[in-house]
Amino acid sequence: ETGVTQSPTHLIKTRGQQVTLRCSSQSGHNTVSWYQQALGQGPQFIFQYYREEENGRGNFPPRFSGLQFPNYSSELNVNALELDDSALYLCASSLGAGYGSAGELFFGEGSRLTVL
Amino acid sequence: EDQVTQSPEALRLQEGESSSLNCSYTVSGLRGLFWYRQDPGKGPEFLFTLYSAGEEKEKERLKATLTKKESFLHITAPKPEDSATYLCAVRAGNNRKLIWGLGTSLAVNP
């Protein structure tokens, strides 16, 4: 069983640039969610994708966008980077996305983004 | 507003010294409380899901319990490899997102 993999693991950008982070979900999982985790904080929900459609979003501006592909892998795009965007970005996969679905999320190792 | 609070922020134990971590929550319509473990620089690792007051789950030296207002993660005779940050999260109402606490950083000294 293949786990959740994310790339790149580390990257450095400057203010105003754009970044794309990638995630391959665990085998058999059709739902991907993205989280932002600042140092010393709990993860903050960005959005969730189920069968290629966004079906839940947290309090993040529109410059945070995403995609899910037919193989359930996903991308997180952030435009016009700001210093406060520096964080660990976590991708999590799960099976099922309905309100009754379990909260067992399987996380990748994360992508550490530094914005200078 | 839905909220999750974990205490203590940090805990240092000697190997074999049992203790408990607390997760208190104020949410409308709890649909599940989740415990995760996070090692430095890594993603959280799922431990337990609890759905209703009175429910208990166990895994090795860890035992999670749930009441109507809080959850406890009991660690019995911890070992140094149990050192990590333990995160609590809840799902409430019809919201798909998980609401996370800030975590408890546990250090177990040999």
Side-chain angles (χ1 to χ4, degrees), chain A residues 22-35:
Chain A
R22 295 178 175 82
C23 171
S24 293
S25 60
Q26 182 160 316
S27 177
H29 286 183
N30 55 16
T31 303
V32 171
S33 51
W34 286 91
Y35 287 82

PDB file of all heavy atoms in Angstrom, chain A residues 22-35:
ATOM      1  N   ARG A  22       2.540  19.542  -4.852  1.00  0.00           N
ATOM      2  CA  ARG A  22       1.897  18.352  -5.404  1.00  0.00           C
ATOM      3  C   ARG A  22       1.736  17.255  -4.369  1.00  0.00           C
ATOM      4  O   ARG A  22       2.538  17.146  -3.431  1.00  0.00           O
ATOM      5  CB  ARG A  22       2.695  17.852  -6.608  1.00  0.00           C
ATOM      6  CG  ARG A  22       2.680  18.832  -7.764  1.00  0.00           C
ATOM      7  CD  ARG A  22       3.509  18.372  -8.941  1.00  0.00           C
ATOM      8  NE  ARG A  22       3.365  19.296 -10.063  1.00  0.00           N
ATOM      9  CZ  ARG A  22       4.045  20.431 -10.193  1.00  0.00           C
ATOM     10  NH1 ARG A  22       4.928  20.788  -9.281  1.00  0.00           N
ATOM     11  NH2 ARG A  22       3.835  21.212 -11.241  1.00  0.00           N
ATOM     12  N   CYS A  23       0.714  16.444  -4.574  1.00  0.00           N
ATOM     13  CA  CYS A  23       0.386  15.402  -3.615  1.00  0.00           C
ATOM     14  C   CYS A  23      -0.176  14.185  -4.340  1.00  0.00           C
ATOM     15  O   CYS A  23      -1.079  14.315  -5.182  1.00  0.00           O
ATOM     16  CB  CYS A  23      -0.649  15.928  -2.623  1.00  0.00           C
ATOM     17  SG  CYS A  23      -1.353  14.690  -1.516  1.00  0.00           S
ATOM     18  N   SER A  24       0.355  13.025  -4.004  1.00  0.00           N
ATOM     19  CA  SER A  24      -0.221  11.763  -4.491  1.00  0.00           C
ATOM     20  C   SER A  24      -0.913  11.087  -3.317  1.00  0.00           C
ATOM     21  O   SER A  24      -0.283  10.852  -2.285  1.00  0.00           O
ATOM     22  CB  SER A  24       0.873  10.856  -5.051  1.00  0.00           C
ATOM     23  OG  SER A  24       1.432  11.406  -6.207  1.00  0.00           O
ATOM     24  N   SER A  25      -2.176  10.795  -3.480  1.00  0.00           N
ATOM     25  CA  SER A  25      -2.938  10.251  -2.358  1.00  0.00           C
ATOM     26  C   SER A  25      -2.646   8.779  -2.154  1.00  0.00           C
ATOM     27  O   SER A  25      -2.079   8.103  -3.013  1.00  0.00           O
ATOM     28  CB  SER A  25      -4.442  10.455  -2.596  1.00  0.00           C
ATOM     29  OG  SER A  25      -4.838   9.795  -3.781  1.00  0.00           O
ATOM     30  N   GLN A  26      -3.038   8.293  -0.996  1.00  0.00           N
ATOM     31  CA  GLN A  26      -2.855   6.878  -0.689  1.00  0.00           C
ATOM     32  C   GLN A  26      -3.728   6.046  -1.619  1.00  0.00           C
ATOM     33  O   GLN A  26      -4.845   6.440  -1.967  1.00  0.00           O
ATOM     34  CB  GLN A  26      -3.224   6.628   0.770  1.00  0.00           C
ATOM     35  CG  GLN A  26      -3.026   5.190   1.236  1.00  0.00           C
ATOM     36  CD  GLN A  26      -2.921   5.067   2.743  1.00  0.00           C
ATOM     37  OE1 GLN A  26      -2.241   5.848   3.395  1.00  0.00           O
ATOM     38  NE2 GLN A  26      -3.617   4.098   3.303  1.00  0.00           N
ATOM     39  N   SER A  27      -3.208   4.889  -1.988  1.00  0.00           N
ATOM     40  CA  SER A  27      -3.914   4.009  -2.903  1.00  0.00           C
ATOM     41  C   SER A  27      -5.339   3.726  -2.417  1.00  0.00           C
ATOM     42  O   SER A  27      -5.559   3.369  -1.257  1.00  0.00           O
ATOM     43  CB  SER A  27      -3.140   2.693  -3.027  1.00  0.00           C
ATOM     44  OG  SER A  27      -3.825   1.788  -3.849  1.00  0.00           O
ATOM     45  N   GLY A  28      -6.304   3.937  -3.318  1.00  0.00           N
ATOM     46  CA  GLY A  28      -7.695   3.661  -2.981  1.00  0.00           C
ATOM     47  C   GLY A  28      -8.447   4.822  -2.377  1.00  0.00           C
ATOM     48  O   GLY A  28      -9.668   4.760  -2.218  1.00  0.00           O
ATOM     49  N   HIS A  29      -7.742   5.917  -2.044  1.00  0.00           N
ATOM     50  CA  HIS A  29      -8.403   7.085  -1.439  1.00  0.00           C
ATOM     51  C   HIS A  29      -8.837   8.066  -2.510  1.00  0.00           C
ATOM     52  O   HIS A  29      -8.065   8.406  -3.407  1.00  0.00           O
ATOM     53  CB  HIS A  29      -7.454   7.779  -0.460  1.00  0.00           C
ATOM     54  CG  HIS A  29      -7.274   7.048   0.815  1.00  0.00           C
ATOM     55  ND1 HIS A  29      -6.514   7.533   1.847  1.00  0.00           N
ATOM     56  CD2 HIS A  29      -7.772   5.862   1.246  1.00  0.00           C
ATOM     57  CE1 HIS A  29      -6.547   6.682   2.860  1.00  0.00           C
ATOM     58  NE2 HIS A  29      -7.294   5.649   2.511  1.00  0.00           N
ATOM     59  N   ASN A  30     -10.092   8.554  -2.410  1.00  0.00           N
ATOM     60  CA  ASN A  30     -10.619   9.436  -3.436  1.00  0.00           C
ATOM     61  C   ASN A  30     -10.766  10.881  -2.975  1.00  0.00           C
ATOM     62  O   ASN A  30     -11.265  11.729  -3.704  1.00  0.00           O
ATOM     63  CB  ASN A  30     -11.974   8.924  -3.938  1.00  0.00           C
ATOM     64  CG  ASN A  30     -12.968   8.735  -2.795  1.00  0.00           C
ATOM     65  OD1 ASN A  30     -12.777   9.251  -1.697  1.00  0.00           O
ATOM     66  ND2 ASN A  30     -14.034   8.000  -3.063  1.00  0.00           N
ATOM     67  N   THR A  31     -10.348  11.162  -1.754  1.00  0.00           N
ATOM     68  CA  THR A  31     -10.515  12.505  -1.185  1.00  0.00           C
ATOM     69  C   THR A  31      -9.165  13.038  -0.726  1.00  0.00           C
ATOM     70  O   THR A  31      -8.400  12.316  -0.085  1.00  0.00           O
ATOM     71  CB  THR A  31     -11.480  12.463   0.006  1.00  0.00           C
ATOM     72  OG1 THR A  31     -12.721  11.909  -0.422  1.00  0.00           O
ATOM     73  CG2 THR A  31     -11.713  13.864   0.565  1.00  0.00           C
ATOM     74  N   VAL A  32      -8.908  14.281  -1.085  1.00  0.00           N
ATOM     75  CA  VAL A  32      -7.666  14.927  -0.674  1.00  0.00           C
ATOM     76  C   VAL A  32      -7.997  16.255  -0.005  1.00  0.00           C
ATOM     77  O   VAL A  32      -8.825  17.017  -0.505  1.00  0.00           O
ATOM     78  CB  VAL A  32      -6.745  15.180  -1.887  1.00  0.00           C
ATOM     79  CG1 VAL A  32      -5.568  16.050  -1.480  1.00  0.00           C
ATOM     80  CG2 VAL A  32      -6.246  13.867  -2.458  1.00  0.00           C
ATOM     81  N   SER A  33      -7.368  16.519   1.111  1.00  0.00           N
ATOM     82  CA  SER A  33      -7.518  17.819   1.758  1.00  0.00           C
ATOM     83  C   SER A  33      -6.139  18.415   2.002  1.00  0.00           C
ATOM     84  O   SER A  33      -5.149  17.692   2.133  1.00  0.00           O
ATOM     85  CB  SER A  33      -8.304  17.696   3.069  1.00  0.00           C
ATOM     86  OG  SER A  33      -7.770  16.686   3.888  1.00  0.00           O
ATOM     87  N   TRP A  34      -6.089  19.726   2.020  1.00  0.00           N
ATOM     88  CA  TRP A  34      -4.845  20.456   2.230  1.00  0.00           C
ATOM     89  C   TRP A  34      -4.936  21.278   3.499  1.00  0.00           C
ATOM     90  O   TRP A  34      -5.979  21.882   3.795  1.00  0.00           O
ATOM     91  CB  TRP A  34      -4.573  21.389   1.038  1.00  0.00           C
ATOM     92  CG  TRP A  34      -4.126  20.685  -0.200  1.00  0.00           C
ATOM     93  CD1 TRP A  34      -4.913  20.204  -1.215  1.00  0.00           C
ATOM     94  CD2 TRP A  34      -2.768  20.397  -0.586  1.00  0.00           C
ATOM     95  NE1 TRP A  34      -4.137  19.626  -2.194  1.00  0.00           N
ATOM     96  CE2 TRP A  34      -2.821  19.740  -1.838  1.00  0.00           C
ATOM     97  CE3 TRP A  34      -1.523  20.634  -0.007  1.00  0.00           C
ATOM     98  CZ2 TRP A  34      -1.671  19.318  -2.506  1.00  0.00           C
ATOM     99  CZ3 TRP A  34      -0.392  20.218  -0.672  1.00  0.00           C
ATOM    100  CH2 TRP A  34      -0.462  19.572  -1.906  1.00  0.00           C
ATOM    101  N   TYR A  35      -3.821  21.305   4.228  1.00  0.00           N
ATOM    102  CA  TYR A  35      -3.748  22.047   5.471  1.00  0.00           C
ATOM    103  C   TYR A  35      -2.482  22.898   5.478  1.00  0.00           C
ATOM    104  O   TYR A  35      -1.446  22.507   4.923  1.00  0.00           O
ATOM    105  CB  TYR A  35      -3.707  21.095   6.672  1.00  0.00           C
ATOM    106  CG  TYR A  35      -5.028  20.429   6.965  1.00  0.00           C
ATOM    107  CD1 TYR A  35      -5.449  19.304   6.262  1.00  0.00           C
ATOM    108  CD2 TYR A  35      -5.873  20.927   7.959  1.00  0.00           C
ATOM    109  CE1 TYR A  35      -6.665  18.700   6.530  1.00  0.00           C
ATOM    110  CE2 TYR A  35      -7.093  20.325   8.240  1.00  0.00           C
ATOM    111  CZ  TYR A  35      -7.469  19.220   7.519  1.00  0.00           C
ATOM    112  OH  TYR A  35      -8.678  18.622   7.793  1.00  0.00           O
TER     113      TYR A  35
END
